[in-house]
């Protein structure tokens, strides 16, 4: 995607000295909508502390919570590279310098939109520091480019909900067309991350490039049904529709205990259960927080008996997206 020059009046004397931003984890695909649906979680999420410096240029001085896996080189790190790209297109590359501290509160390669949360936090932070000259719609292409740098493809189903909050539909990619969808209040999820590494790049290479028309018919019926269910707050329709006949059968192989976890979730009253993004995290969708909590505990107990460590998160849909912490 070509990122064009931006014309904005920015008063350099009004640039803030420091800002701290949280951006949320996301569940991409929403089970049936590969690359087109996603929603934001209340937790976990990543934090970026951005401080203005007197020299131009973008530097990263600290990354925590990544077990040393992310590059500090500002050209290679997704957060700094995205911030640099935005400053360049605003014509501020030689005027403004910032220092970034990135605090990761979620595992990398987990299927929770880890790179997206960091990129969105970074871009939201620089925009805030500059006095918010760009709308969230204008920030989105920079977030998508950051995702391309991190995973090799510019899918937007993590960055869009991380940036806008709520449930989002990527109606089209060329040009990007993001539609916000209603988030029924009772909808909750239990998200479980079994501690195995499944990089998005690898999980995408596994998927078949061609699909049968009969499977496509099932899947687009499900996507349409889910969207109708969200508008009508029809939980039975949501449950019937959140099923993935295209991607799950292939990717489930990469996730230990997937079908056992699914059995537990459905027995305990989940509306649906599937892979979060490209996995290995899985998501149980429920109608209330208690059921989500119970399912998460049971699945984590099961994983622990199978000697697989895991993290669990309970959340409603986060309708706010990034927030300024200070
Ligand atoms: N839609 C993407 C995929 C999300 O499933 O590969 C990656 O988090």
């Amino acid at each position: 995607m070509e990122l064009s020059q931006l014309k904005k009046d920015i008063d350099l004397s009004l640039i803030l000295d420091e800002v701290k931003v949280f951006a949320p984890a996301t569940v991409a695909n929403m089970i049936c909508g590969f690359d087109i649906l996603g929603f934001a979680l209340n937790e976990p999420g990543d934090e970026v502390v951005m401080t203005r410096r007197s020299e131009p240029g973008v530097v990263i001085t600290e990354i925590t919570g990544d077990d040393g896996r992310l590059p500090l080189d500002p050209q290679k790190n997704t957060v700094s590279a995205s911030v640099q790209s935005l400053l360049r297109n605003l014509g501020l590359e030689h005027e403004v310098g910032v220092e970034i501290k990135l605090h990761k509160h979620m595992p990398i390669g987990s299927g929770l939109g880890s790179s997206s949360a960091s990129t969105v936090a970074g871009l939201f932070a620089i925009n805030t520091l500059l006095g918010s000259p760009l709308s969230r719609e204008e920030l989105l292409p920079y977030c998508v480019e950051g995702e391309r740098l991190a995973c090799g493809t510019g899918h937007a189903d993590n960055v869009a909900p991380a940036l806008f909050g709520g449930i989002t539909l990527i109606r089209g990619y060329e040009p990007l067309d993001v539609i916000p969808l209603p988030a029924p209040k009772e909808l909750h999820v239990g998200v479980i991350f079994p501690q195995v590494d499944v990089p998005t790049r690898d999980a995408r290479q596994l998927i078949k490039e061609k699909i049968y028309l009969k499977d496509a018919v099932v899947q687009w019926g499900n996507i349409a049904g889910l969207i109708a269910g969200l508008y009508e707050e029809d939980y039975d329709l949501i449950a019937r529709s959140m099923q993935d006949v295209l991607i799950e059968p292939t990717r489930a192989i990469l996730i230990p205990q997937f079908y056992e976890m699914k059995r537990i979730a459905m027995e305990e009253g989940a509306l649906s259960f599937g892979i979060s993004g490209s996995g290995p995290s899985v998501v149980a969708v429920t109608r209330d927080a208690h059921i989500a909590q119970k399912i998460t505990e049971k699945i984590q107990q099961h994983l622990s008996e199978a000697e697989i460590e895991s993290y669990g998160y309970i959340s409603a849909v986060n309708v706010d997206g990034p927030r300024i912490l200070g």
Side-chain angles (χ1 to χ4, degrees):
M1 187 186 312
E2 206 47 34
L3 295 173
S4 52
Q5 212 64 25
L6 290 159
K7 287 198 176 47
K8 299 280 174 187
D9 285 328
I10 296 167
D11 185 341
L12 295 183
S13 67
L14 295 179
I15 297 180
L16 303 177
D17 287 332
E18 184 167 292
V19 66
K20 188 175 174 186
V21 168
F22 164 94
T26 41
V27 173
N29 300 338
M30 241 183 137
I31 300 182
C32 56
F34 178 70
D35 276 1
I36 65 162
L37 290 172
F39 61 90
L41 297 172
N42 288 325
E43 59 137 8
D46 287 349
E47 274 170 36
V48 160
V49 182
M50 190 173 284
T51 314
R52 192 172 182 192
R53 60 201 281 271
S54 47
E55 298 287 300
V58 180
V59 293
I60 299 207
T61 52
E62 192 183 349
I63 303 179
T64 61
D66 70 327
D67 290 329
R69 290 172 62 183
L70 297 177
L72 281 161
D73 178 345
Q75 311 295 331
K76 293 192 182 137
N77 185 288
T78 319
V79 180
S80 43
S82 306
V83 171
Q84 244 162 3
S85 158
L86 182 64
L87 286 174
R88 195 165 43 246
N89 283 340
L90 283 168
L92 294 176
E93 199 180 6
H94 304 296
E95 314 274 346
V96 176
V98 292
E99 175 192 322
I100 293 170
K101 291 191 169 85
L102 171 63
H103 302 297
K104 294 209 62 73
H105 298 294
M106 74 178 99
I108 297 166
S110 56
L112 293 170
S114 169
S115 56
S116 300
S118 299
T119 306
V120 167
L123 285 164
F124 200 83
I126 185 68
N127 195 43
T128 306
L129 208 77
L130 296 173
S132 302
L134 275 75
S135 64
R136 292 189 196 206
E137 285 75 11
E138 288 173 314
L139 280 178
L140 181 64
Y142 291 87
C143 300
V144 175
E145 279 312 297
E147 194 71 330
R148 192 185 306 284
L149 192 64
C151 320
T153 51
H155 56 269
D157 50 344
N158 289 113
V159 286
L163 181 63
F164 295 105
I167 303 177
T168 54
L169 163 69
I170 320 298
R171 208 276 318 150
Y173 274 87
E174 288 176 13
L176 262 179
D177 187 4
V178 176
I179 317 288
L181 297 174
K185 287 204 174 44
E186 290 170 37
L187 209 64
H188 281 74
V189 290
V191 178
I192 301 101
F193 167 56
Q195 280 200 39
V196 290
D197 207 2
V198 179
T200 297
R201 236 176 250 267
D202 299 356
R204 289 184 81 85
Q205 276 165 5
L206 207 75
I207 299 169
K208 289 183 227 146
E209 287 208 343
K210 293 188 176 162
I211 56 169
Y212 287 108
L213 185 60
K214 71 174 174 47
D215 293 335
V217 170
V218 173
Q219 198 89 354
W220 62 52
N222 282 340
I223 295 166
L226 172 57
I227 290 171
L230 295 174
Y231 272 96
E232 290 174 15
E233 299 204 19
D234 179 338
Y235 291 91
D236 288 336
L237 180 55
I238 291 171
R240 291 204 299 285
S241 306
M242 283 185 104
Q243 299 193 45
D244 174 15
V245 297
L246 293 183
I247 314 291
E248 182 178 296
T250 316
R251 282 186 171 168
I253 298 160
L254 297 174
I255 303 172
Q257 305 288 328
F258 179 81
Y259 290 104
E260 267 307 291
M261 294 192 280
K262 187 168 195 167
R263 185 188 57 75
I264 294 169
M266 298 317 289
E267 275 177 13
E268 292 299 326
L271 299 173
S272 173
F273 178 89
I275 303 172
S276 171
S278 56
S281 289
V282 290
V283 57
V285 182
T286 68
R287 202 177 164 162
D288 84 43
H290 289 109
I291 301 177
Q293 176 82 44
K294 195 165 164 210
I295 291 172
T296 304
E297 281 167 11
K298 281 214 160 186
I299 288 180
Q300 286 200 273
Q301 176 65 32
H302 174 79
L303 289 174
S304 145
E305 283 160 17
E307 296 185 356
I308 300 166
E309 286 183 40
S310 65
Y311 292 103
Y313 309 96
I314 314 298
S315 181
V317 176
N318 165 0
V319 292
D320 300 319
R323 60 175 192 273
I324 298 164
L325 300 174

